[in-house]
């Protein structure tokens, strides 16, 4: 059974100090939250001096609370002309506030601040920006961006002891700010501090308001050296110090940036201009990379990403397993990135009336109900609807009927993939060079750089890194034996418009056994067939018949006059899937080096395997490109830059392109290269 996320309760003492009824402790000093944040955490970690001149700087916090430490740090960063290029703030919170309560709490703190100079730091929209970006209260990692993406807040919703070991990052500073050790002992345990030590960079510092003997013991046991300094607002002492282990700590080294990432000019080649590739282009360009996008077709998004529309929604299962958590992370990350694009003026036909996932049977609905009740998700994420609710949502007076209930995803819907791909390329601006109508015959490594060559051996482009985002063709260029993809033919059908009297109006996309998506021109997109290993690109009447039959079962009454399949239009596209139906995202393994030392890697984890420097994959997305592309692009960009990863290690391992090689090594099913 997954842990349900329990929001914090908003409560104030008589003097106006915010208090937690659950822990019986205050969120901040009565002398002022903002002043405390600056004295204890910003000053205690010798900021801003320590981030000056750096490309990235990462802070890890235990206990986000009202966000005052983040707001104070953000303000200090903005006020520093010598600030680092990108500031990462990673904060764990077991009981986050709801959006409305966060706004109330933060506004109250500012209104009652004792040092008015601090208040001025936050009247320029900082609180509004944080509250507006506040994520849905579901477990996992949530990445928020501010100041044109140069300030990145990664919220980790969940228990610290469970979540900290799952993070992949190198921390430059720690803010230790939970409720008092006497009130919340678990957050100050040796196990938590050892988890922090595994995230610490060599010169990491820490600061905490506490000088408790419990905290000193945990620091000692975890390799942190501490010293006392004057506390805030008359408090006798607080602790500051550094990560300085007296012994070698056994750990998997946190990620390092590609060497080229430290250079003033960074370049990448992205092969494949569909959803996967264009998402990578946008994420790299946002970090200052110059990207050459190479597409074999004459235009971008010409293959599966050229479908008239695609649906996006998460998956919910009672056990909240890898697939459920991964689609949730991808779904929420995509929404955040798309909203940023829309705020920048890019439109791509995103629907705004939710998406209905209807059960296929009584047993299927029972599974949906079980998952919904187990996870306890908020209504802005998902709602369980019985049959009558479904009919009312769709419009009973329109003659639509449903035979089963289902899940409503209010933020789900449909998008035009080609328009989204174009928007991402447009956002990259002058940092993008697009080369279409060109096939990459092979890749070659020249020194520390990569070259993409055509069939005649001529260089198409040269760069520091390459990202393979070209679906089934990625296997050929990757040159690896332990990557396997399967083509799946999918035929779509387009039904004539509502005005032609053939279909009833549909308020939102509906999925189940098949799907129905209303398009802007009044037509209805239905589909899609699922035909493994079928590579026939021609439309077939049998495919239209199959789609019509599915949608008739899904929503009786939707199609009032079934047209002749021979006269219908549609589109055939091919998804490429792995045998575990998860994508391939991340650095590609160095197979030759691994296989030459196969016995040494028999029990290896993904982080142990040698990688091919500068070569990454973003393919095998199947029918979930809209859900996974944005998150996959952020993961690759973070790996290239040595930044905190946007998802847990366990999920990154599940989509690691090296996972099938690892499984073969463990099973003893590998052979050394000839």
């Amino acid at each position: 059974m997954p842990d349900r996320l329990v929001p914090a309760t908003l409560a104030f003492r008589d003097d106006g100090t915010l208090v937690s009824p659950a822990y019986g402790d205050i969120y901040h000093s009565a002398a002022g939250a903002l002043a405390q944040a600056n004295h204890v955490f910003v000053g205690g970690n010798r900021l801003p001096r320590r981030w000056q001149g750096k490309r990235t700087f990462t802070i890890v916090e235990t206990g986000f609370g009202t966000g005052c430490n983040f707001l104070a740090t953000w303000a200090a960063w903005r006020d520093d002309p010598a600030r680092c290029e990108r500031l990462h703030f990673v904060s764990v919170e077991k009981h986050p506030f709801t959006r409305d309560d966060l706004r109330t709490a933060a506004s109250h703190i500012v209104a009652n601040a004792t040092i008015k100079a601090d208040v001025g730091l936050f009247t320029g929209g900082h609180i509004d920006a944080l509250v507006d970006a506040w994520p849905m209260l579901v477990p996992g990692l949530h990445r928020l961006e501010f100041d044109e993406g140069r300030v990145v807040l990664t919220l980790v919703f969940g228990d610290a002891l469970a979540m900290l070991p799952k993070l992949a990052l190198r921390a430059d500073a720690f803010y230790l700010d939970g409720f008092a050790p006497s009130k919340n002992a678990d957050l100050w345990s040796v196990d938590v501090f050892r988890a922090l030590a595994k995230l610490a960079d060599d010169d990491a510092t820490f600061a905490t308001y506490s000088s408790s003997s419990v905290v000193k013991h945990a620091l000692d046991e975890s390799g942190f050296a501490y010293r006392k300094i004057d506390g805030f607002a008359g408090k006798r002492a607080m602790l500051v110090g550094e990560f300085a282990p007296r012994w070698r700590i056994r750990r998997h080294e946190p990620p390092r940036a590609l060497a080229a990432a430290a250079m003033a000019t960074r370049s990448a080649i992205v092969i494949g201009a569909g959803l996967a590739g264009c998402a990578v282009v946008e994420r790299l360009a946002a970090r200052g990379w110059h990207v050459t996008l190479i597409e074999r077709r004459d235009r971008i998004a010409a293959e599966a990403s050229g479908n008239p529309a695609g649906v996006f929604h998460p998956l919910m299962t009672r056990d909240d397993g890898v697939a459920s958590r991964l689609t949730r992370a991808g779904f929420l990350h995509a929404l955040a990135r798309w909203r940023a694009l829309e705020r920048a003026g890019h439109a791509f036909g995103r629907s705004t009336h939710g998406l209905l996932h209807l059960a296929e049977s009584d047993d299927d609905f029972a599974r949906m109900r079980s998952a919904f009740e187990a996870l306890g998700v908020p209504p802005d994420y998902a709602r369980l609807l019985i049959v009558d609710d479904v009919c009312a949502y769709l419009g009973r007076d329109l003659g639509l009927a449903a035979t089963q209930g289902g899940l409503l995803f209010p933020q789900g819907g449909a998008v035009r993939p080609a328009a989204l791909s174009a928007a991402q390329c447009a956002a990259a601006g002058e940092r993008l060079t697009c080369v279409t109508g060109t096939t990459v015959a092979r890749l070659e490594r020249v020194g520390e750089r990569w070259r993409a060559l055509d069939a005649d051996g001529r260089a198409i482009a040269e760069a520091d890194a390459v990202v393979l985002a070209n679906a089934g063709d990625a296997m050929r260029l990757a040159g690896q034996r332990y990557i396997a993809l399967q083509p799946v033919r999918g035929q779509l059908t387009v039904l004539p418009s509502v005005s032609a009297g053939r279909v009833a109006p549909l308020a939102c996309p509906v999925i189940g056994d098949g799907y129905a998506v209303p398009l802007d021109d009044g037509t209805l997109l239905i589909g899609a067939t699922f035909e493994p290993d079928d590579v026939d690109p021609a439309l077939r009447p049998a495919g239209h018949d199959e789609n019509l039959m599915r949608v008739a079962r899904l929503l009786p009454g939707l199609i009032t006059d079934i047209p002749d399949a021979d006269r219908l239009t549609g589109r055939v596209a091919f998804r490429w899937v792995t045998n575990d139906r998860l994508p391939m995202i991340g650095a590609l393994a160095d197979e030759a080096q691994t296989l030459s030392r196969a016995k040494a890697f028999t029990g290896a984890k993904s982080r142990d395997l040698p990688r091919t420097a500068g070569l990454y994959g973003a393919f095998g997305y199947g029918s979930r490109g809209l859900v996974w592309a944005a998150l996959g692009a952020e993961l690759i960009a973070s790996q290239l830059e040595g930044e905190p990863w946007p998802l847990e290690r366990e999920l990154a391992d599940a989509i690691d392109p090296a996972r099938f090689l690892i499984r073969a090594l463990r099973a003893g099913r590998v052979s050394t290269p000839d």
Side-chain angles (χ1 to χ4, degrees):
M1 180 74 70
D3 291 333
R4 298 174 64 147
L5 199 63
V6 178
T9 300
L10 183 67
F12 297 95
R13 294 197 315 196
D14 292 341
D15 63 359
T17 305
L18 186 65
V19 64
S20 168
Y23 290 94
D25 199 9
I26 58 175
Y27 276 91
H28 59 83
S29 168
L34 304 179
Q36 180 186 35
N38 277 303
H39 178 91
V40 176
F41 299 107
V42 178
N45 278 286
R46 305 195 302 277
L47 304 177
R49 177 168 58 87
R50 290 188 56 245
W51 66 41
Q52 291 177 347
K54 292 191 175 184
R55 174 154 174 76
T56 63
F57 191 87
T58 299
I59 297 167
V60 173
E61 177 185 51
T62 55
F64 187 77
T66 61
C68 283
N69 294 339
F70 167 69
L71 291 168
T73 306
W74 181 10
W77 179 88
R78 290 197 73 176
D79 199 42
D80 179 15
R83 58 185 175 261
C84 55
E85 290 186 40
R86 286 173 67 84
L87 174 67
H88 278 272
F89 195 101
V90 181
S91 186
V92 183
E93 180 54 64
K94 185 175 183 179
H95 300 294
F97 283 105
T98 64
R99 183 192 302 270
D100 290 342
D101 284 352
L102 178 69
R103 187 187 300 277
T104 300
S107 299
H108 180 86
I109 287 169
V110 170
N112 291 274
T114 55
I115 301 177
K116 295 303 178 184
D118 289 335
V119 177
L121 298 172
F122 305 105
T123 56
H126 288 71
I127 291 175
D128 287 342
L130 174 60
V131 173
D132 290 346
W134 195 244
M136 300 180 202
L137 298 193
V138 294
L141 274 61
H142 304 265
R143 179 154 289 185
L144 317 179
E145 294 190 358
F146 307 95
D147 262 314
E148 299 180 338
R150 295 183 62 192
V151 174
V152 183
L153 170 62
T154 302
L155 293 163
V156 185
F157 287 166
D159 181 78
L161 186 55
M163 297 304 293
L164 286 170
K166 298 179 180 180
L167 301 182
L169 57 84
R170 282 182 175 269
D172 297 294
F174 294 99
Y175 290 6
L176 308 180
D177 191 29
F179 293 117
S182 60
K183 305 290 186 178
N184 187 16
D186 289 347
L187 195 57
W188 303 91
S189 68
V190 171
D191 287 340
V192 165
F193 279 65
R194 285 174 176 166
L196 292 171
K198 291 180 179 180
L199 301 175
D201 206 353
D202 295 337
D203 300 318
T205 62
F206 77 87
T208 177
Y209 67 85
S210 178
S211 59
S212 161
S213 59
V214 171
V215 177
K216 293 175 185 176
H217 173 71
L219 289 165
D220 267 334
E221 290 294 309
S222 308
F224 290 92
Y226 63 83
R227 59 188 178 277
K228 288 184 179 180
I229 64 172
D230 291 340
F232 171 69
K235 191 175 185 296
R236 182 187 303 175
M238 56 177 270
L239 299 178
V240 299
E242 298 79 31
F243 179 60
R246 299 183 297 276
W247 59 91
R248 182 173 179 81
I249 291 180
R250 294 182 62 187
R251 63 177 183 172
H252 291 282
E253 285 296 312
R256 293 280 189 194
L258 187 72
M263 301 173 64
T265 301
R266 305 177 299 284
S267 59
I269 296 167
V270 177
I271 303 174
L275 282 170
C278 293
V280 172
V281 165
E282 190 274 329
R283 288 288 77 201
L284 290 180
R287 288 166 166 83
W289 287 67
H290 294 268
V291 184
T292 301
L293 177 62
I294 305 175
E295 168 56 46
R296 64 179 181 176
R297 303 296 187 189
D298 292 333
R299 56 183 174 82
I300 68 169
E303 300 198 24
S305 298
N307 286 343
V311 295
F312 63 95
H313 60 94
L315 173 70
M316 289 177 62
T317 59
R318 180 178 174 81
D319 65 351
D320 202 29
V322 167
S324 179
R325 289 159 51 209
L326 188 61
T327 57
R328 178 169 69 238
F331 173 71
L332 295 175
H333 190 83
L335 286 175
R337 293 303 323 139
W338 296 349
R339 287 167 182 154
L341 286 170
E342 289 165 343
R343 287 194 298 270
H346 301 289
F348 40 87
R350 181 163 70 97
S351 66
T352 58
H353 299 289
L355 175 142
L356 272 171
H357 184 184
L358 298 184
E360 298 175 28
S361 64
D362 291 344
D363 287 345
D364 192 25
F365 183 71
R367 284 189 290 270
M368 287 184 175
R369 181 189 291 276
S370 178
F372 178 80
E373 293 174 347
L375 296 174
V377 295
D380 54 346
Y381 183 76
R383 303 174 198 165
L384 186 72
L385 304 184
I386 61 174
V387 173
D388 284 349
D389 295 333
V390 169
C391 294
Y393 190 83
L394 293 175
R396 189 178 279 105
D397 58 331
L398 298 176
L400 293 176
T403 59
Q404 292 290 341
L407 290 168
L408 170 65
F409 296 104
Q411 304 301 320
V415 160
R416 288 186 286 125
L420 174 59
S421 299
Q424 290 166 326
C425 289
E430 295 180 354
R431 292 194 176 100
L432 171 63
T433 299
C434 192
V435 180
T436 58
T438 302
T439 298
V440 177
R442 63 184 178 92
L443 298 169
E444 69 174 9
R445 184 80 167 161
V446 181
E448 297 298 312
R449 290 170 67 81
W450 286 93
R451 281 181 188 160
L453 306 176
D454 65 15
D456 296 322
R458 293 188 295 263
I460 304 167
E462 183 175 317
D464 301 309
V466 172
V467 181
L468 302 178
N470 51 333
D473 198 37
M475 293 185 295
R476 175 181 61 83
L477 292 176
Q480 300 200 355
R481 289 185 287 170
Y482 293 90
I483 289 180
L485 295 175
Q486 179 185 32
V488 178
R489 181 182 183 275
Q491 180 171 321
L492 301 170
T493 302
V494 178
L495 291 177
S497 66
V498 173
S499 61
R502 296 189 182 278
V503 296
L506 194 59
C508 69
V510 179
I511 67 170
D513 181 19
Y515 58 79
V517 180
L519 302 180
D520 292 341
D521 61 2
T523 59
L524 188 72
L525 182 69
I526 65 172
T529 63
F530 189 90
E531 301 162 281
D533 296 319
D534 187 337
V535 293
D536 178 13
L539 285 171
R540 300 196 291 242
H544 290 319
D545 285 336
E546 181 180 337
N547 290 335
L548 289 165
M549 185 169 54
R550 282 181 172 171
V551 80
R553 288 198 303 262
L554 182 69
L555 279 177
L558 178 63
I559 306 173
T560 56
D561 181 13
I562 299 178
D564 187 343
D566 290 325
R567 300 201 311 270
L568 288 174
T569 61
R571 194 171 191 271
V572 173
F574 301 94
R575 313 97 144 178
W576 288 83
V577 300
T578 60
N579 61 14
D580 61 7
R581 296 299 187 265
L582 296 177
M584 297 285 208
I585 304 174
L588 296 185
D590 185 332
E591 276 196 0
Q593 186 181 159
T594 300
L595 295 175
S596 69
R597 300 164 51 210
K599 290 184 178 179
F601 294 111
T602 299
K605 296 182 178 180
S606 64
R607 65 197 79 170
D608 299 321
L609 253 61
R611 304 288 168 157
T612 303
L615 185 61
Y616 295 77
F619 53 89
Y621 286 20
S623 59
R624 294 190 179 272
L626 283 169
V627 173
W628 285 333
L631 181 64
E634 180 69 10
L635 175 60
I636 289 171
S638 298
Q639 290 175 336
L640 280 165
E641 290 276 345
E643 297 176 355
W645 292 5
L647 75 173
E648 301 98 304
R649 275 193 185 273
E650 179 187 359
L651 299 184
D653 289 349
I655 58 177
D656 189 336
R659 64 186 183 273
F660 295 110
L661 173 58
I662 293 169
R663 292 170 193 173
L665 287 165
R666 290 174 180 169
R669 292 185 285 100
V670 298
S671 56
T672 56
D674 296 333

